[in-house]
Short mmCIF file of all heavy atoms in Angstrom, two decimals:
data_model
loop_
_atom_site.label_atom_id
_atom_site.label_comp_id
_atom_site.label_asym_id
_atom_site.label_seq_id
_atom_site.Cartn_x
_atom_site.Cartn_y
_atom_site.Cartn_z
N MET A 1 4.36 6.95 3.09
CA MET A 1 5.66 6.91 3.82
C MET A 1 5.50 6.04 5.06
O MET A 1 4.62 6.28 5.89
CB MET A 1 6.06 8.32 4.23
CG MET A 1 7.37 8.41 5.01
SD MET A 1 8.80 8.10 4.05
CE MET A 1 9.93 7.43 5.23
N PHE A 2 6.37 5.06 5.16
CA PHE A 2 6.43 4.16 6.36
C PHE A 2 7.88 4.21 6.92
O PHE A 2 8.81 4.38 6.18
CB PHE A 2 6.13 2.71 5.97
CG PHE A 2 4.76 2.51 5.38
CD1 PHE A 2 4.54 2.64 4.03
CD2 PHE A 2 3.70 2.16 6.18
CE1 PHE A 2 3.30 2.44 3.48
CE2 PHE A 2 2.42 1.95 5.64
CZ PHE A 2 2.22 2.09 4.31
N THR A 3 8.00 4.07 8.22
CA THR A 3 9.32 3.94 8.81
C THR A 3 9.93 2.58 8.35
O THR A 3 11.05 2.57 7.86
CB THR A 3 9.23 3.95 10.34
OG1 THR A 3 8.56 5.18 10.75
CG2 THR A 3 10.65 3.96 10.91
N LEU A 4 9.16 1.52 8.48
CA LEU A 4 9.60 0.17 8.05
C LEU A 4 8.62 -0.38 7.03
O LEU A 4 7.42 -0.24 7.16
CB LEU A 4 9.67 -0.79 9.25
CG LEU A 4 10.62 -0.33 10.41
CD1 LEU A 4 10.47 -1.30 11.56
CD2 LEU A 4 12.04 -0.27 9.91
N ALA A 5 9.14 -1.04 5.99
CA ALA A 5 8.31 -1.60 4.96
C ALA A 5 7.43 -2.68 5.47
O ALA A 5 6.38 -3.00 4.85
CB ALA A 5 9.16 -2.09 3.80
N THR A 6 7.83 -3.36 6.58
CA THR A 6 6.99 -4.47 7.10
C THR A 6 5.60 -3.97 7.48
O THR A 6 4.65 -4.75 7.49
CB THR A 6 7.68 -5.05 8.33
OG1 THR A 6 8.07 -4.04 9.25
CG2 THR A 6 8.95 -5.88 7.93
N THR A 7 5.48 -2.70 7.86
CA THR A 7 4.14 -2.16 8.18
C THR A 7 3.27 -2.19 6.95
O THR A 7 2.05 -2.61 7.08
CB THR A 7 4.25 -0.74 8.70
OG1 THR A 7 5.18 -0.67 9.82
CG2 THR A 7 2.88 -0.19 9.17
N ALA A 8 3.78 -1.82 5.83
CA ALA A 8 3.00 -1.82 4.58
C ALA A 8 2.66 -3.25 4.21
O ALA A 8 1.52 -3.56 3.80
CB ALA A 8 3.82 -1.18 3.42
N GLU A 9 3.58 -4.19 4.39
CA GLU A 9 3.33 -5.57 4.03
C GLU A 9 2.28 -6.24 4.95
O GLU A 9 1.46 -7.03 4.51
CB GLU A 9 4.66 -6.39 4.10
CG GLU A 9 5.64 -5.97 3.05
CD GLU A 9 6.98 -6.65 3.19
OE1 GLU A 9 7.53 -6.68 4.36
OE2 GLU A 9 7.49 -7.20 2.24
N SER A 10 2.33 -5.84 6.18
CA SER A 10 1.42 -6.44 7.24
C SER A 10 -0.03 -5.96 7.06
O SER A 10 -0.96 -6.74 7.20
CB SER A 10 1.91 -6.18 8.62
OG SER A 10 3.18 -6.75 8.85
N PHE A 11 -0.19 -4.62 6.78
CA PHE A 11 -1.52 -4.04 6.86
C PHE A 11 -2.10 -3.62 5.52
O PHE A 11 -3.31 -3.32 5.45
CB PHE A 11 -1.50 -2.85 7.82
CG PHE A 11 -1.19 -3.20 9.21
CD1 PHE A 11 0.04 -2.89 9.77
CD2 PHE A 11 -2.08 -3.92 10.03
CE1 PHE A 11 0.36 -3.24 11.10
CE2 PHE A 11 -1.76 -4.28 11.31
CZ PHE A 11 -0.57 -3.95 11.87
N PHE A 12 -1.29 -3.45 4.49
CA PHE A 12 -1.80 -2.93 3.21
C PHE A 12 -1.60 -3.88 2.00
O PHE A 12 -1.88 -3.46 0.90
CB PHE A 12 -1.11 -1.57 2.93
CG PHE A 12 -1.51 -0.56 3.97
CD1 PHE A 12 -0.74 -0.38 5.13
CD2 PHE A 12 -2.64 0.27 3.79
CE1 PHE A 12 -1.13 0.56 6.10
CE2 PHE A 12 -3.00 1.22 4.74
CZ PHE A 12 -2.23 1.34 5.90
N ASP A 13 -1.21 -5.08 2.28
CA ASP A 13 -1.05 -6.06 1.18
C ASP A 13 -2.48 -6.38 0.64
O ASP A 13 -3.39 -6.76 1.38
CB ASP A 13 -0.43 -7.32 1.71
CG ASP A 13 -0.10 -8.34 0.61
OD1 ASP A 13 0.02 -7.90 -0.57
OD2 ASP A 13 0.05 -9.49 0.90
N GLY A 14 -2.67 -6.21 -0.61
CA GLY A 14 -3.97 -6.43 -1.25
C GLY A 14 -4.74 -5.16 -1.37
O GLY A 14 -5.33 -4.88 -2.44
N GLN A 15 -4.69 -4.29 -0.32
CA GLN A 15 -5.43 -3.01 -0.42
C GLN A 15 -4.79 -2.13 -1.47
O GLN A 15 -5.50 -1.47 -2.26
CB GLN A 15 -5.38 -2.29 0.95
CG GLN A 15 -6.08 -0.96 0.98
CD GLN A 15 -5.94 -0.24 2.27
OE1 GLN A 15 -5.83 1.00 2.30
NE2 GLN A 15 -5.94 -0.93 3.39
N PHE A 16 -3.41 -2.09 -1.50
CA PHE A 16 -2.74 -1.29 -2.55
C PHE A 16 -3.07 -1.82 -3.92
O PHE A 16 -3.19 -1.03 -4.86
CB PHE A 16 -1.26 -1.26 -2.23
CG PHE A 16 -0.84 -0.29 -1.14
CD1 PHE A 16 0.40 -0.49 -0.53
CD2 PHE A 16 -1.74 0.64 -0.67
CE1 PHE A 16 0.76 0.37 0.49
CE2 PHE A 16 -1.31 1.50 0.41
CZ PHE A 16 -0.09 1.34 0.96
N ALA A 17 -3.16 -3.12 -4.05
CA ALA A 17 -3.54 -3.71 -5.38
C ALA A 17 -4.91 -3.25 -5.80
O ALA A 17 -5.15 -2.89 -6.95
CB ALA A 17 -3.47 -5.22 -5.30
N TYR A 18 -5.83 -3.25 -4.81
CA TYR A 18 -7.20 -2.80 -5.08
C TYR A 18 -7.29 -1.38 -5.54
O TYR A 18 -7.96 -1.00 -6.50
CB TYR A 18 -8.08 -2.99 -3.79
CG TYR A 18 -9.42 -2.49 -3.84
CD1 TYR A 18 -10.48 -3.24 -4.40
CD2 TYR A 18 -9.75 -1.27 -3.34
CE1 TYR A 18 -11.80 -2.75 -4.45
CE2 TYR A 18 -10.99 -0.74 -3.34
CZ TYR A 18 -12.05 -1.50 -3.97
OH TYR A 18 -13.29 -0.99 -3.94
N LEU A 19 -6.47 -0.49 -4.86
CA LEU A 19 -6.43 0.90 -5.24
C LEU A 19 -5.71 1.14 -6.56
O LEU A 19 -6.08 2.00 -7.34
CB LEU A 19 -5.75 1.70 -4.09
CG LEU A 19 -6.52 1.76 -2.80
CD1 LEU A 19 -5.63 2.35 -1.65
CD2 LEU A 19 -7.80 2.58 -2.91
N SER A 20 -4.71 0.34 -6.83
CA SER A 20 -3.99 0.41 -8.10
C SER A 20 -4.93 0.05 -9.27
O SER A 20 -4.91 0.73 -10.31
CB SER A 20 -2.79 -0.53 -8.09
OG SER A 20 -1.80 -0.10 -7.13
N GLU A 21 -5.73 -0.96 -9.04
CA GLU A 21 -6.68 -1.40 -10.09
C GLU A 21 -7.75 -0.33 -10.31
O GLU A 21 -8.32 -0.22 -11.41
CB GLU A 21 -7.34 -2.71 -9.69
CG GLU A 21 -6.44 -3.88 -9.79
CD GLU A 21 -7.07 -5.14 -9.25
OE1 GLU A 21 -8.27 -5.15 -8.91
OE2 GLU A 21 -6.37 -6.19 -9.11
N ALA A 22 -7.98 0.50 -9.25
CA ALA A 22 -8.98 1.52 -9.36
C ALA A 22 -8.40 2.80 -10.05
O ALA A 22 -9.08 3.81 -10.26
CB ALA A 22 -9.50 1.96 -7.99
N GLY A 23 -7.10 2.77 -10.43
CA GLY A 23 -6.49 3.87 -11.16
C GLY A 23 -5.51 4.68 -10.41
O GLY A 23 -4.93 5.61 -10.96
N TYR A 24 -5.26 4.36 -9.10
CA TYR A 24 -4.30 5.11 -8.33
C TYR A 24 -2.89 4.60 -8.55
O TYR A 24 -2.65 3.39 -8.53
CB TYR A 24 -4.67 5.08 -6.86
CG TYR A 24 -5.85 5.93 -6.48
CD1 TYR A 24 -7.14 5.39 -6.41
CD2 TYR A 24 -5.71 7.33 -6.31
CE1 TYR A 24 -8.23 6.17 -6.14
CE2 TYR A 24 -6.84 8.09 -6.03
CZ TYR A 24 -8.07 7.53 -5.97
OH TYR A 24 -9.19 8.32 -5.69
N ASN A 25 -1.95 5.54 -8.69
CA ASN A 25 -0.52 5.17 -8.90
C ASN A 25 0.15 5.35 -7.53
O ASN A 25 0.40 6.43 -7.08
CB ASN A 25 0.08 6.08 -9.91
CG ASN A 25 1.52 5.75 -10.22
OD1 ASN A 25 1.99 4.66 -9.80
ND2 ASN A 25 2.23 6.60 -10.90
N ILE A 26 0.45 4.18 -6.87
CA ILE A 26 0.89 4.23 -5.48
C ILE A 26 2.42 4.01 -5.39
O ILE A 26 2.94 3.07 -6.01
CB ILE A 26 0.14 3.17 -4.63
CG1 ILE A 26 -1.31 3.55 -4.59
CG2 ILE A 26 0.73 3.06 -3.25
CD1 ILE A 26 -2.18 2.52 -3.89
N HIS A 27 3.06 4.89 -4.62
CA HIS A 27 4.50 4.78 -4.37
C HIS A 27 4.68 4.51 -2.81
O HIS A 27 4.05 5.19 -2.05
CB HIS A 27 5.23 6.07 -4.70
CG HIS A 27 5.23 6.34 -6.18
ND1 HIS A 27 6.38 6.36 -6.92
CD2 HIS A 27 4.21 6.60 -7.07
CE1 HIS A 27 6.06 6.66 -8.20
NE2 HIS A 27 4.75 6.82 -8.32
N VAL A 28 5.47 3.55 -2.48
CA VAL A 28 5.80 3.22 -1.11
C VAL A 28 7.20 3.69 -0.79
O VAL A 28 8.11 3.37 -1.49
CB VAL A 28 5.67 1.73 -0.80
CG1 VAL A 28 6.16 1.36 0.57
CG2 VAL A 28 4.19 1.27 -0.95
#
């Protein structure tokens, strides 16, 4: 949960892809 999506884009871009590839199903 983020207040603004820009926070996710700024700090978690790529990291979420890495975790998704590891088998985690991520919802923003």
Side-chain angles (χ1 to χ4, degrees):
M1 177 73 208
F2 299 88
T3 305
L4 302 173
T6 50
T7 306
E9 293 174 311
S10 297
F11 297 108
F12 294 89
D13 187 21
Q15 181 185 142
F16 283 163
Y18 174 83
L19 293 169
S20 296
E21 288 174 7
Y24 286 97
N25 184 12
I26 296 176
H27 294 243
V28 172

